[in-house]
Amino acid sequence: MVTLGPHPGNRRSNRRLWLSYAGACALAWCLFVLAGSEFDRGLDPFWLAVYQATTMLWAPMLLGVAVWPLARRLHAGDAGPAATGLAHALAALAFSALWQAGEFAVNATLFGADHAGAVLLAGLLWRSVWGVVVYAAIATAFTAVLQSRAARSAAIAAAQAESALAKAELSAISGKLNPHFLFNTLNTLIALTRKDPAGAEAALLKFASMLRYVLDTKRGAEDRVLLADEIDFLRDYLALEALRLGPRLRVDWQLEERVLADELPPLTLQPLVENSILHAVAPRKGGGCVTITARRNALNHGLDLAVADDGPGCEPEALEPKPGQRRGVGLAALRKRFALDYEGQARLRIHTAPGAGFRVDLFIPQT
């Protein structure tokens, strides 16, 4: 059960509730007056109807206010349906008795106890029934309001929990990308240290710059970086890989100058380029070419990115993860990252076939 505390939103809801209750009471009073008026006989029947409506309805209108805390207590309690129904039945009888007691008190004050007693006895049965009916209507309305509030609070709580879960999952995804990249880079540096100490020193400088970039983008899952900074980081990474692969690694940059100030999540392109090197360049004796494209989307002015290679490609079905198989490093994580981070507005599409290379197209909206 959702507990409704003294939240500012609840106070505003209570004001609306009591305004609605006052409006319903005024409407009931007007309808009672209209039902008892006979305008073709002059104003006397009208004033009589006003008097009767006022003396008869003031008690249930005031008693109806007391139904609210009772309905709230029963709604928030853990009593079963039988106990709740019994409590409402007893409350309905008490409501009816208090209504008649209030009317008796007014009549006794205005016309004396004998008249008040006669009026009470004459209408005891039907007014008792009406008391139960009116209580049921008020209690049902208040219970519906409480259930609506509880449902709304539950929906808000669920949305907040889902948002927190998405942010936590997004942070976890980002955390999985970075260590994978660092592990591969360290392996490359170890290999270079054995073969080319001078090249390893130059690579260490680039690695330090790359590490600083990675650490700077570990602040949170919602971080954004400029495409220009992401490209600089990617150039350092590719220069490091070129020390290991030599002329086997060829890179074709197709960048529009106007999109370099666009923003994107950090480490978006590096996992895709790493995939191309891992599957299309490193295994082949002749190496391969990696093409990196960035341009403005002509339709919605977002950022279009693409990473493609001229490698062997694969069947699209082979991209589906299988138990024990580690293929397509970063692709699933990036797809989920965009789904969580951009609420379905970003896109990641893969184009591949045997002998046709591998291409990943990205669309990142810009605000």
Side-chain angles (χ1 to χ4, degrees):
M1 183 66 65
V2 177
T3 301
L4 299 176
H7 190 274
N10 289 334
R11 288 196 291 269
R12 288 192 295 269
S13 297
N14 284 340
R15 284 196 295 269
R16 291 194 296 268
L17 169 68
W18 294 119
L19 286 174
S20 299
Y21 180 79
C25 289
L27 178 61
W29 184 87
C30 291
L31 292 176
F32 194 101
V33 171
L34 289 175
S37 299
E38 298 179 18
F39 294 104
D40 58 342
R41 297 176 55 188
L43 291 178
D44 289 341
F46 170 75
W47 290 116
L48 178 60
V50 170
Y51 163 76
Q52 290 177 338
T54 304
T55 56
M56 290 184 61
L57 296 182
W58 71 269
M61 288 178 180
L62 290 180
L63 290 171
V65 176
V67 177
W68 169 252
L70 174 63
R72 187 169 56 182
R73 181 181 295 274
L74 292 175
H75 183 266
D78 296 329
T84 301
L86 177 60
H88 277 301
L90 294 176
L93 294 176
F95 182 92
S96 179
L98 290 173
W99 180 357
Q100 296 189 69
E103 189 174 351
F104 174 84
V106 170
N107 287 331
T109 301
L110 295 177
F111 306 108
D114 292 339
H115 175 79
V119 171
L120 176 63
L121 291 175
L124 182 62
L125 179 60
W126 74 267
R127 288 182 184 177
S128 298
V129 173
W130 267 110
V132 173
V133 171
V134 171
Y135 171 86
I138 296 175
T140 300
F142 283 155
T143 301
V145 170
L146 290 169
Q147 290 176 343
S148 175
R149 288 186 181 183
R152 184 167 61 250
S153 297
I156 292 174
Q160 290 174 342
E162 185 176 355
S163 176
L165 178 62
K167 290 181 179 179
E169 192 171 359
L170 182 57
S171 296
I173 290 170
S174 299
K176 289 177 182 177
L177 290 174
N178 297 349
H180 181 271
F181 153 71
L182 294 175
F183 176 78
N184 286 330
T185 303
L186 286 173
N187 280 342
T188 300
L189 287 174
I190 292 172
L192 283 174
T193 302
R194 296 170 181 169
K195 295 189 300 183
D196 184 3
E201 182 178 357
L204 280 171
L205 293 176
K206 292 185 178 297
F207 178 71
S209 175
M210 295 163 61
L211 183 60
R212 183 168 56 250
Y213 179 85
V214 171
L215 294 177
D216 286 345
T217 57
K218 289 288 289 181
R219 293 185 296 271
E222 296 180 353
D223 279 353
R224 299 289 184 267
V225 297
L226 296 178
L227 176 61
D229 295 335
E230 183 83 354
I231 293 298
D232 289 341
F233 167 78
L234 198 56
R235 290 185 189 276
D236 287 339
Y237 168 75
L238 287 168
L240 184 61
E241 290 285 30
L243 291 174
R244 178 172 64 95
L245 297 171
R248 296 167 57 208
L249 173 60
R250 299 179 295 278
V251 182
D252 181 14
W253 298 92
Q254 299 180 9
L255 309 177
E256 289 186 358
E257 189 74 22
R258 58 179 177 168
V259 301
L260 294 179
D262 285 5
E263 295 184 338
L264 73 166
L267 299 177
T268 294
L269 294 175
Q270 187 273 333
L272 302 178
V273 174
E274 183 178 347
N275 274 342
S276 291
I277 293 175
L278 179 64
H279 297 291
V281 179
R284 299 160 66 194
K285 184 176 180 180
C289 179
V290 179
T291 302
I292 301 165
T293 305
R295 59 169 58 96
R296 173 73 62 227
N297 188 290
L299 295 178
N300 49 33
H301 305 289
L303 175 61
D304 281 335
L305 298 171
V307 175
D309 61 61
D310 57 357
C314 64
E315 293 285 352
E317 293 78 10
L319 297 174
E320 297 298 326
K322 298 178 181 178
Q325 183 183 24
R326 296 183 60 186
R327 184 176 180 86
V329 178
L331 286 177
L334 278 176
R335 190 188 300 276
K336 198 166 189 179
R337 185 188 205 183
F338 288 156
L340 293 172
D341 204 359
Y342 287 97
E343 299 178 349
Q345 297 182 25
R347 295 191 300 272
L348 186 153
R349 294 176 178 170
I350 299 173
H351 308 274
T352 185
F358 196 93
R359 178 186 178 96
V360 178
D361 290 324
L362 301 174
F363 169 75
I364 300 177
Q366 300 296 306
T367 56

